[in-house]
Amino acid sequence: MTAQALKPAAAAAHECRLFIAGRWTAGAGDDWLPIVNPATEAPIGRHAVATAADLDEALDAAAAGFRIWRDWAPQARSDVLRKAAALIRERLEVLAATLTAEQGKPIEQARMEIGNCARGFEWAAEEGRRAYGRVIPANVPNLTWLATREPIGPVAAFTPWNFPASQAAAKIGSALAAGCSMVLKGPEDAPSPAAGLVQALADAGLPPGVLNLVLGHPPQISAHLIASPVIRKISFTGSVPVGKQLAAMAAAEMKPATMELGGHSPVLVFGDVDPVALARTLVQGKYRNAGQVCVSPTRFYVEQSAYDAFVETFVEAAKSIVVGDGTDPRTQMGPLAHDRRLEAIGALIEETRAEGATIRAGGERLGNRGYFYAPTVVTDAPEDARILREEPFGPVAVIAPFTDRDEVIARANGTPYGLAAYAFTRSHETAAFVGRALEAGMVGVNTFAIGGPEAPFGGVKDSGFGREGGMEGLSAYLVTKMLAQTPG
Ligand code: NAD
């Protein structure tokens, strides 16, 4: 497999164009922004910047694409998604290398992410054939009532840079399986993996206009797309503040939205577990993708009896993580994805230090080239410290002790977030209790494995609304129509 297969979207030079009406284009403005490798800070390519005219063209294409795609049989749509999944698997090495170069994660994690895109398309291909409606017994003779489910229409989707391929795949797979068309704004920091997915779908026979990719200035693009009468549904993954802005814009247009926003996931470690073995395992989950994961475990509450042993082991394990360029197979944690994140994490840790917390590991940038930040462990943070109130979105674990079950639930639930929460215990009774008591869209008991194409993914409270994945993921792109008929 050579980079040739990705041409012209994401070839070796990482020149990422816009994809509008089935064509790769530099855009009307021929305006470009650089793509930077976060491990080296070297510019490794460039991406096109959409103008208002490009966005209008993408909207026209999505409108035309929808009229065609909604009438394809679900089986035919399924075939395209399956074929695209096969192409993604064939191109996995090139796509993974591109992902690591642009986003920084270790190559093995990049391979897993690309593999998950193929799995996601396959799940959507199956699920799209099951958009069942129902026959409702009518209240008079000779009257038929049918509840049918139709694709909602052209979708405006916005996906972020932390999982630049799989976040796009989750939205694309379900929307296309449901019969919707889409204008996708990909992540400007790492755009080529999403372009690779678009290319795979085009190569698999997706009609022009059904999926369009735009890049550029996010606020301009979202304002333009959400206001357009063509767009019937919004789906966004990103931060809470931006999510609130886009949700307000969608509400003003009376458009349904799916909002996958940030989290600040609590982890409750009860005293009946082996704190040493567990700390070693949990460290792996904490620093995956340098902690830039919306469901990353961030606040570890450990029962007092297990606290010292847990902290000691966790700190040692965090210090032993191999940080480096993601292309090196020995690397366990890559750089942060861009300079904004490095700055944000640096400022947060300085503030945490000033608030009186103890930095037990890390707490500093590594080297002076590349956006590397050391795996960091914080203890003794005051309960009102910013790090316990705001999502850190980086390689930072805060650990604190607890003594009382109700009190720790109150602390775990005491932020505006409600995305994921975790608990580790050997007690069935405690497991059942925390499963009910934790305010989160997803709760992992004795596991961090809460996501997959088959499972509904999403939050409560400020973490957003709507679900991706599972049958809920498909439903997000369908609308129910009540059809009443008589023989005439
Ligand atoms: P940010 O909030 O500026 O951007 C986050 C994402 O939203 C980016 O992909 C960006 O392109 C997009 N975006 C920003 N403004 C937009 C707008 N007006 N319209 C449409 N899209 C817009 O922050 P950032 O520095 O890129 O990332 C840091 C924060 O983003 C973190 O605190 C984290 O909460 C959040 N984030 C969340 C996820 C997630 O999976 N939920 C993923 C990435 C980033």
Side-chain angles (χ1 to χ4, degrees):
M1 178 66 212
T2 67
Q4 201 64 19
L6 295 178
K7 276 185 78 179
H14 298 260
E15 180 169 290
C16 192
R17 297 176 175 225
L18 317 175
F19 191 72
I20 299 176
R23 278 185 322 111
W24 292 103
T25 165
D30 198 18
D31 190 10
W32 299 84
L33 286 171
I35 303 171
V36 171
N37 182 330
T40 62
E41 298 184 40
I44 51 168
R46 60 181 193 162
H47 69 80
V49 173
T51 62
D54 297 320
L55 297 177
D56 284 338
E57 208 187 313
L59 287 163
D60 288 348
F66 179 62
R67 286 193 289 275
I68 296 167
W69 188 241
R70 70 177 175 197
D71 291 336
W72 276 41
Q75 173 71 64
R77 296 198 291 252
S78 170
D79 290 346
V80 170
L81 281 162
R82 269 183 194 291
K83 193 163 175 202
L87 291 172
I88 289 166
R89 287 188 203 285
E90 264 177 55
R91 299 170 186 180
L92 189 141
E93 282 306 319
V94 176
L95 287 166
T98 308
L99 205 171
T100 291
E102 294 188 2
Q103 197 270 351
K105 69 182 60 179
I107 186 68
E108 200 43 47
Q109 290 180 28
R111 289 189 183 112
M112 278 176 58
E113 181 174 343
I114 300 300
N116 285 340
C117 296
R119 286 210 307 128
F121 279 6
E122 285 159 354
W123 164 262
E126 292 165 15
E127 202 58 13
R129 295 164 59 198
R130 301 190 193 110
Y132 304 125
R134 64 192 195 279
V135 180
I136 301 164
N139 55 0
V140 289
N142 290 325
L143 177 64
T144 304
W145 277 351
L146 299 174
T148 62
R149 296 168 87 210
E150 300 181 340
I152 192 164
V155 176
F158 306 88
T159 56
W161 44 263
N162 57 338
F163 290 93
S166 61
Q167 305 260 29
K171 295 190 197 301
I172 295 170
S174 294
L176 297 194
C180 294
S181 62
M182 177 177 279
V183 180
L184 169 70
K185 190 201 80 62
E188 287 76 13
D189 295 296
S192 301
L197 302 182
V198 171
Q199 183 71 63
L201 281 157
D203 293 345
L206 191 73
V210 177
L211 177 60
N212 306 275
L213 174 70
V214 296
L215 300 158
H217 301 294
Q220 284 170 22
I221 295 177
S222 54
H224 197 104
L225 295 183
I226 294 171
S228 164
V230 168
I231 296 299
R232 304 293 288 271
K233 154 98 192 173
I234 317 300
S235 184
F236 172 74
T237 300
S239 65
V240 172
V242 174
K244 285 185 175 178
Q245 280 172 30
L246 300 199
M249 287 156 67
E253 303 287 339
M254 200 51 76
K255 293 178 182 174
T258 296
M259 290 284 151
E260 297 288 356
L261 309 180
H264 202 339
S265 305
V267 184
L268 276 46
V269 176
F270 287 89
D272 58 1
V273 299
D274 174 348
V276 171
L278 187 65
R280 285 202 193 106
T281 309
L282 299 195
V283 158
Q284 309 306 321
K286 166 64 250 179
Y287 298 103
R288 183 173 69 100
N289 202 14
Q292 302 164 120
V293 182
C294 52
V295 294
S296 182
T298 42
R299 298 178 287 142
F300 293 78
Y301 296 110
V302 183
E303 195 157 3
Q304 189 70 63
S305 57
Y307 182 73
D308 288 339
F310 184 90
V311 170
E312 196 181 317
T313 311
F314 199 99
V315 166
E316 285 317 306
K319 284 179 178 168
S320 70
I321 286 174
V322 180
V323 182
D325 191 316
T327 56
D328 185 334
R330 289 165 302 183
T331 293
Q332 294 171 310
M333 191 182 102
L336 301 184
H338 43 62
D339 53 355
R340 305 189 302 284
R341 211 73 303 268
L342 186 65
E343 214 173 285
I345 290 292
L348 179 63
I349 293 301
E350 283 324 304
E351 196 174 322
T352 303
R353 223 189 281 272
E355 284 167 325
T358 311
I359 311 297
R360 301 285 292 264
E364 59 186 2
R365 182 180 182 181
L366 295 176
N368 56 12
R369 200 164 62 93
Y371 309 130
F372 296 100
Y373 198 87
T376 298
V377 182
V378 175
T379 59
D380 312 310
E383 204 58 30
D384 62 348
R386 178 157 76 94
I387 202 162
L388 284 172
R389 290 182 285 110
E390 277 180 31
E391 176 182 37
F393 217 68
V396 181
V398 186
I399 313 182
F402 76 88
T403 48
D404 177 80
R405 196 168 82 165
D406 292 328
E407 172 247 323
V408 78
I409 291 288
R411 286 159 79 191
N413 290 340
T415 74
Y417 302 97
L419 191 57
Y422 310 94
F424 292 83
T425 176
R426 287 193 180 140
S427 154
H428 285 299
E429 194 274 326
T430 307
F433 168 75
V434 295
R436 282 193 309 274
L438 287 168
E439 292 174 358
M442 296 160 286
V443 177
V445 179
N446 296 322
T447 182
F448 285 153
I450 53 166
E454 304 82 357
F457 186 101
V460 298
K461 298 160 69 182
D462 271 10
S463 293
F465 44 76
R467 295 291 180 269
E468 288 188 322
M471 61 174 82
E472 291 86 351
L474 185 78
S475 296
Y477 297 99
L478 294 169
V479 67
T480 299
K481 179 182 276 179
M482 166 63 192
L483 195 59
Q485 271 173 247
T486 69

